[in-house]
Amino acid sequence: MIPAPRSGTGLLYRVPAGAKLAGLAIAALALTLVPHGPVSIAVSLVVVLGLYPLGGVPLVTAGVELWRVRAVLVVLAIALGIFVSPAAAWVSTGRVAALLLLAALLTRTTAMSELLAVLKRLLRPLRRLGVDTDAVSFAVSLTLTMVPIVEGFAHRIREAERARGVRLGVRAAVPLLVTTLRHADRVGDALAARGIG
């Protein structure tokens, strides 16, 4: 269910995994900690979208990634639009979309084995404090790969809708959330059975 990174000749394919992971961390901090308005979020999204062709990944891929998580984005936008304001809905939804696009770009241009190796090196000093660095790096890799997993769940829900001849629309977010939480429980149980966590 987790797609392997595609080979390519673009710029991001040649950038070391550590540099890309650091860039993702810095971008995530900038998107979450720095106050943003509607204009700055729009600029951020344009910059993130520009990284796709610059990195050697077709721009249409970004659209595919957003389409995969459209249920989550729509529910978030509607909830914030109703209970807070349209501007807050745009800022928060744009922030989430930008982060998801960056994470997807990282996993599409980097082998997971390279990411795990970098994470283990970065976390190695924490071993002196009793931190299980293998478990932490594995947890981070699981987080980065959740987008295609959730997309797979959403695809199965859409197929079930077609088979039953119904269309849930935004309400499809409920079974998607339940399925995702069940998957998280199964992963947690599997990790616990292997002594991780």
Side-chain angles (χ1 to χ4, degrees), residues 7-94:
S7 59
T9 58
L11 177 63
L12 286 182
Y13 288 96
R14 299 192 296 270
V15 174
K20 284 187 278 192
L21 193 59
L24 176 62
I26 292 170
L29 288 172
L31 283 167
T32 55
L33 299 181
V34 176
H36 285 281
V39 175
S40 63
I41 281 296
V43 171
S44 299
L45 280 170
V46 169
V47 170
V48 171
L49 290 172
L51 290 175
Y52 274 72
L54 178 66
V57 180
L59 187 56
V60 68
T61 304
V64 172
E65 296 294 343
L66 291 177
W67 183 253
R68 287 175 173 173
V69 294
R70 65 189 182 280
V72 175
L73 296 176
V74 168
V75 169
L76 177 63
I78 291 175
L80 289 174
I82 292 173
F83 296 110
V84 185
S85 70
W90 165 247
V91 170
S92 295
T93 305

Side-chain angles (χ1 to χ4, degrees), residues 1-2 67-72 142 145-162 164 168 172-187:
M1 191 176 290
I2 300 172
W67 183 253
R68 287 175 173 173
V69 294
R70 65 189 182 280
V72 175
L142 281 177
T145 56
M146 272 306 292
V147 171
I149 290 174
V150 173
E151 181 274 331
F153 294 154
H155 178 72
R156 286 197 307 206
I157 291 170
R158 289 194 299 272
E159 290 297 316
E161 287 180 2
R162 292 193 196 99
R164 294 186 179 100
L168 296 176
V174 175
L176 177 62
L177 179 62
V178 171
T179 305
T180 303
L181 291 175
R182 285 178 179 168
H183 172 75
D185 284 340
R186 288 194 297 269
V187 170

Side-chain angles (χ1 to χ4, degrees), residues 95-168:
R95 180 182 286 126
V96 171
L99 289 171
L100 290 174
L101 286 172
L102 286 171
L105 185 59
L106 176 67
T107 57
R108 281 182 172 270
T109 59
T110 314
M112 193 53 60
S113 59
E114 295 177 12
L115 284 176
L116 282 172
V118 170
L119 287 169
K120 286 179 181 178
R121 285 199 302 272
L122 291 174
L123 296 170
R124 192 172 296 148
L126 296 178
R127 285 185 178 175
R128 296 176 187 147
L129 302 176
V131 176
D132 187 347
T133 56
D134 289 339
V136 173
S137 60
F138 187 61
V140 172
S141 68
L142 281 177
T143 303
L144 290 172
T145 56
M146 272 306 292
V147 171
I149 290 174
V150 173
E151 181 274 331
F153 294 154
H155 178 72
R156 286 197 307 206
I157 291 170
R158 289 194 299 272
E159 290 297 316
E161 287 180 2
R162 292 193 196 99
R164 294 186 179 100
V166 297
R167 182 154 180 80
L168 296 176

